[in-house]
Amino acid sequence: MGALLFILIVAAIVYYTKVYNSPNAKAVRAICKGKTPDQQKVIEYFCKEGCMTKTMDDDEYLSMVRAKRDSLNLRQKALNKIGLDEDEVSEISPATFEGFVYKNAYAKKRANGNWVSSSYQVAWLFFSSTQIYIYRYTFNMDEDKKTESTDEFFYKDVTSFSTSSESEQAHGLGDEKFEVESNKFKMVVPGDQIFVSMDGVADSENIIQAMKQKLREKKM
């Protein structure tokens, strides 16, 4: 009995010094102050280190991101922002692009080699007989932060649709920073280029080809 108690005491000391009281654990706890339980889980997923630590796995995190995305009802939110009924923007089927955004976000490489981050973007594009409307919404999983924007362009003013590989600077715990490459949908208009994350869309090339075809028709 005495030997077992001794082992338990030693294990508790090791856990406290190597895990709970480690520099990493203390830094993570400091960042988590004032956050919601879900936000704390996200921060721990990206930042917590050590063989004796436990965080959610990759699938759990992806499920959490999808659940938040779905709860936002972004297709309807986009239509509300544009101020049009869906039958007014049915020249072709609406297009949606989505994926993680790495700029100024926590990021990590999953077990399968793909990157994820604490920031996620969804974009909806709608097509009327004369204009293209694009709605972008970006939300953060580690804090109460979101950005949204709405733009509209006449077909004649759109130069091109394409894909582009862009490098963004993400960060880890503290001052750690690194570059992450991601695929973007690119829309070029006079004096500007609009980029939208698209790593989360399996048939993005088919969607873009349909958009290119409509743009060619409108410019004839």
Side-chain angles (χ1 to χ4, degrees), residues 92 95-97 125 127 160-164 184-187 196 198 201 203-216:
I92 60 173
T96 181
F97 297 104
L125 287 86
F127 306 85
S160 66
F161 301 125
S162 63
T163 60
S164 175
K184 302 283 187 181
F185 163 72
K186 182 168 74 170
M187 179 174 172
V196 176
M198 55 174 268
V201 182
D203 60 342
S204 57
E205 288 299 329
N206 291 333
I207 294 172
I208 294 172
Q209 287 304 317
M211 293 166 57
K212 286 181 176 179
Q213 178 60 34
K214 179 54 61 176
L215 184 61
R216 284 193 291 267

Side-chain angles (χ1 to χ4, degrees), residues 65-191:
V65 172
R66 294 188 192 107
K68 182 165 184 176
R69 175 202 64 190
D70 294 345
S71 72
L72 293 169
N73 194 14
L74 291 174
R75 180 174 180 144
Q76 188 57 52
K77 190 185 289 288
L79 288 167
N80 293 342
K81 282 286 185 180
I82 292 169
L84 296 173
D85 294 327
E86 192 151 0
D87 58 3
E88 297 178 88
V89 284
S90 56
E91 184 75 11
I92 60 173
S93 297
T96 181
F97 297 104
E98 61 180 291
F100 289 101
V101 177
Y102 300 96
K103 184 178 180 181
N104 300 325
Y106 289 111
K108 68 182 291 185
K109 186 176 287 189
R110 296 167 57 199
N112 65 3
N114 294 333
W115 286 88
V116 293
S117 81
S118 58
S119 182
Y120 199 79
Q121 183 180 68
V122 178
W124 277 96
L125 287 86
F126 298 93
F127 306 85
S128 73
S129 59
T130 58
Q131 289 182 278
I132 299 170
Y133 303 84
I134 180 168
Y135 171 81
R136 288 172 289 174
Y137 190 102
T138 306
F139 60 87
N140 287 60
M141 297 295 296
D142 62 314
E143 59 181 332
D144 295 324
K145 180 182 177 182
K146 55 93 173 174
T147 58
E148 61 180 334
S149 64
T150 306
D151 295 289
E152 55 186 83
F153 304 96
F154 289 101
Y155 288 101
K156 65 181 179 63
D157 294 327
V158 177
T159 304
S160 66
F161 301 125
S162 63
T163 60
S164 175
S165 179
E166 297 293 317
S167 178
E168 297 177 299
Q169 188 176 79
H171 65 80
L173 188 63
D175 296 329
E176 180 188 12
K177 297 186 186 301
F178 43 90
E179 299 292 321
V180 180
E181 291 284 333
S182 65
N183 293 318
K184 302 283 187 181
F185 163 72
K186 182 168 74 170
M187 179 174 172
V188 179
V189 296

Side-chain angles (χ1 to χ4, degrees), residues 28-45:
V28 170
R29 286 199 298 275
I31 297 171
C32 285
K33 284 183 179 178
K35 304 287 187 178
T36 68
D38 279 348
Q39 289 169 353
Q40 291 179 24
K41 287 176 65 177
V42 170
I43 293 169
E44 289 175 354
Y45 170 72

